[in-house]
Amino acid sequence: AQSVSQHNHHVILSEAASLELGCNYSYGGTVNLFWYVQYPGQHLQLLLKYFSGDPLVKGIKGFEAEFIKSKFSFNLRKPSVQWSDTAEYFCAVISSGNTGKLIFGQGTTLQVKP
Amino acid sequence: EPEVTQTPSHQVTQMGQEVILRCVPISNHLYFYWYRQILGQKVEFLVSFYNNEISEKSEIFDDQFSVERPDGSNFTLKIRSTKLEDSAMYFCASRQVADTQYFGPGTRLTVL
């Protein structure tokens, strides 16, 4: 069965620190990959997505992610976090040929200290 | 910008009662989904819906659950006889043909 694993459950950083959140998936075929963010009290919003093409994708608010097919990974990065980045981050995957259901990782809570 | 909306934001019910969670997807979207997130756990897929029928459902989505698109705009999730373990945040999502899923703000269901 497909699964998504996020390595970090809770990350605490100071403002201006660099961020990398790990995400690995288990599926051998073609996948579409996503990072969603959930700010406190708000709904899930799309940060970025990878469907095909350049494996380095850029999203909103300075986030980027790199798809490494050989490692089944799609890690999220930001060079300098801000207090407003405090949120929960979810990696998700859709495998090709199914109904488009998203398989989510466990989520990573990011706390940025001012 | 169009948004997915959900009502109510919080529903409290007694065990064994029926609940209906409502969603209004984005108007030109064709695919609709329900997910849930039990406190402290990951977001889990429940069901997908396309062309007025269920296209896929998870093992969680048993006979106690049903979905309906009664009037071309609303998309509802009904739980016939709620259990304590149904307490969770329920998210509705919708998308166009080959696009991102957009999520609603969720309904927090508390079963007492």
Side-chain angles (χ1 to χ4, degrees):
Chain A
Q2 301 158 45
S3 66
V4 177
S5 176
Q6 291 181 238
H7 314 303
N8 317 97
H9 185 61
H10 195 168
V11 173
I12 302 173
L13 295 173
S14 298
E15 273 194 316
S18 65
L19 170 72
E20 181 158 2
L21 301 182
C23 173
N24 286 91
Y25 64 92
S26 65
Y27 183 70
T30 303
V31 291
N32 296 330
L33 296 154
F34 304 80
W35 276 96
Y36 281 86
V37 62
Q38 188 174 28
Y39 297 103
Q42 296 188 29
H43 58 279
L44 287 159
Q45 300 171 39
L46 181 70
L47 264 184
L48 46 79
K49 61 186 177 185
Y50 172 80
F51 281 14
S52 63
D54 188 344
L56 184 62
V57 292
K58 294 193 185 299
I60 59 171
K61 304 187 181 188
F63 286 90
E64 64 179 31
E66 185 174 12
F67 171 51
I68 302 179
K69 190 174 181 180
S70 61
K71 294 185 178 180
F72 298 89
S73 70
F74 190 56
N75 292 354
L76 181 71
R77 300 195 290 248
K78 185 171 183 179
S80 176
V81 294
Q82 301 171 310
W83 176 78
S84 58
D85 293 324
T86 295
E88 188 145 19
Y89 292 80
F90 295 93
C91 181
V93 62
I94 295 175
S95 60
S96 64
N98 75 4
T99 56
K101 72 179 183 188
L102 285 164
I103 307 293
F104 283 88
Q106 305 94 312
T108 297
T109 302
L110 172 65
Q111 185 182 349
V112 181
K113 294 184 172 179
Chain B
E1 188 176 322
E3 287 184 338
V4 176
T5 59
Q6 290 184 242
T7 53
S9 56
H10 193 180
Q11 173 91 48
V12 181
T13 190
Q14 295 290 326
M15 192 169 55
Q17 295 296 303
E18 175 183 285
V19 293
I20 297 176
L21 310 183
R22 291 184 165 79
C23 169
V24 179
I26 294 172
S27 62
N28 60 348
H29 284 189
L30 301 174
Y31 296 81
F32 312 108
Y33 303 84
W34 282 102
Y35 295 84
R36 78 171 186 191
Q37 185 180 26
I38 295 171
L39 189 64
Q41 298 185 25
K42 62 171 71 178
V43 177
E44 302 172 287
F45 167 77
L46 289 178
V47 65
S48 60
F49 192 86
Y50 170 71
N51 201 25
N52 282 319
E53 59 183 26
I54 290 173
S55 45
E56 186 174 357
K57 58 184 182 180
S58 73
E59 58 206 25
I60 302 167
F61 195 89
D62 62 22
D63 291 345
Q64 293 302 310
F65 291 86
S66 62
V67 289
E68 200 176 35
R69 191 158 157 79
D71 56 12
S73 62
N74 290 285
F75 179 51
T76 61
L77 174 70
K78 183 196 287 187
I79 308 175
R80 221 175 316 276
S81 177
T82 50
K83 307 185 191 77
L84 294 175
E85 54 264 37
D86 293 328
S87 294
M89 196 77 168
Y90 287 81
F91 295 103
C92 172
S94 69
R95 70 174 173 99
Q96 287 186 325
V97 175
D99 201 354
T100 308
Q101 286 180 41
Y102 292 86
F103 283 80
T107 293
R108 181 169 299 285
L109 176 65
T110 302
V111 183
L112 302 176

